[in-house]
Amino acid sequence: MLKGKKILLAVSGGIAVYKAVALTSKLTQAGAEVKVMMTEHATEFVTPLTFQAMSRNPVYTDTFDEKDPAKIAHIDLADWADMVVIAPATANVLGKVANGMADDMVTTTLLATQAQVYVAPAMNVHMYQHPAVVQNMKTLETWGYRFIEPGDGYLACGYVGKGRLEEPEEIVQVIDRDYHRLGRWQGKKVLITAGPTREPLDPVRYFTNYSSGKMGYAFAQEAAEQGAKVYLVSGPTNLTVPPSVEHIPVSSTEEMFAQVTALYDQVDIVIKTAAVADYRPVETSEQKIKKNKDHITIELEKNVDILRYLGEHKERQYLIGFAAETEDLEAYGRKKLQEKNLDAIVINDVSRSDIGFDSDQNEVVLITKAGNTWPIEQASKSAIAEQVIELIDREIGKG
Ligand code: PMT
């Protein structure tokens, strides 16, 4: 699938430069057009001529070595690329880019490009764990850079640990899979609900549940990375809103209902991961309730079922509900799918502590209206979101 793609390979100076030669070869074999730029230090390990021979293109090492007077090389390269791969990415090059420095061919081009950037780090295990490097990688990640983690093993410096440049075959596979994921939902508007709702009893107390919002935020991040315009209607969480996602904070179910229904007409897809409180206190005291009785009774009334309302008023939207179950998962899930007029339902077992509420992982079964059932194995919530979106996209594609 990389056939015809213009890939700019940025090579920085570490012992793993020799693997970047194999990477150049693999990328050209996959049908990509590859251009290579190298830091001065990278040229100490392997000559530019080697990359020139593998890529069949001139290699760029010096910002001031303008090969064509009609163009400014680093801007031209930055605009030319469909994607940029930094491999190996040293701690130095990561630090420079994360801090906006541009003092050579590689870093000026990296700052100038608007293409998707993939980063395959390679360095000593202790450098990889250094807080400065960790912070720089986080910064780059929040700007949309995609990381291909280094492998574990024997390092050239003599240590054994994480820091070895991922194998060229694996880098090619990762970027191939990932690049085609990006942009899949370009032009789509997606409404995601996440987190818990809070139903106030008095100014200091409320009813809620254990939802952390992690599942919903993972969907928001994934949908945004796939090019969608994402509206994230979220109950209170401690999470950071993913880049380019429109965050609409709410607290109670009524507030969530108001925001969701206001957006409903505009969106193409709805993913309802929020753990909405089914009941709320009939009365909310304006003053703090005093603890002068041994027992109190609080009367609760049913909240609006937002998802059911959306199912009843569905026009062109593709509506995905969640089912939080503790027994007979699929049977209860199917019932909700049908009763709430959904297009698909994602069922998870919330009796387990390793998945579901507040966990970093989940394991789900996706069932569609057409009757297709896909169990998705335990994985990070991001990986679950990615797989669900891929399957849903296929379903939508079938029309
Ligand atoms: O937030 P995390 O800690 O990451 O946990 C994720 C999760 C466990 C909350 C999530 O994976 C999940 O299961 N979300 C649905 C929780 C839920 O309310 O399930 P339910 O089976 O009670 O409701 C079914 C569906 O109806 C849900 O899509 C829910 O959003 C919706 N609903 C429910 C009640 C209500 N009054 N209005 C609704 O819209």
Side-chain angles (χ1 to χ4, degrees), residues 211-213 215 272-274 304 306-307 322 324 336 348 358 381:
S211 172
S212 62
M215 191 70 253
K272 265 211 101 277
T273 72
V304 57
I306 308 172
L307 188 57
F322 263 68
K336 284 178 184 165
N348 50 186
D358 201 21
K381 284 183 172 168

Side-chain angles (χ1 to χ4, degrees), residues 60-78:
Y60 300 78
T61 55
D62 181 355
T63 335
F64 300 103
D65 176 19
E66 297 288 3
K67 296 181 196 307
D68 177 352
K71 292 172 182 162
I72 298 168
H74 66 282
I75 303 297
D76 190 48
L77 264 187

Side-chain angles (χ1 to χ4, degrees), residues 8 11 29 99 109-110 142 145 184 198 202 206 223 253 257 287 313-314 319 349 398:
L8 178 60
V11 183
Q29 282 171 39
N99 290 285
T109 310
L110 285 171
T142 59
Y145 284 52
R184 187 191 276 147
R198 284 180 182 171
D202 70 9
Y206 52 82
T253 301
F257 178 73
Q287 305 304 327
H313 294 81
K314 186 151 66 92
L319 187 54
D349 184 346
K398 283 185 208 156

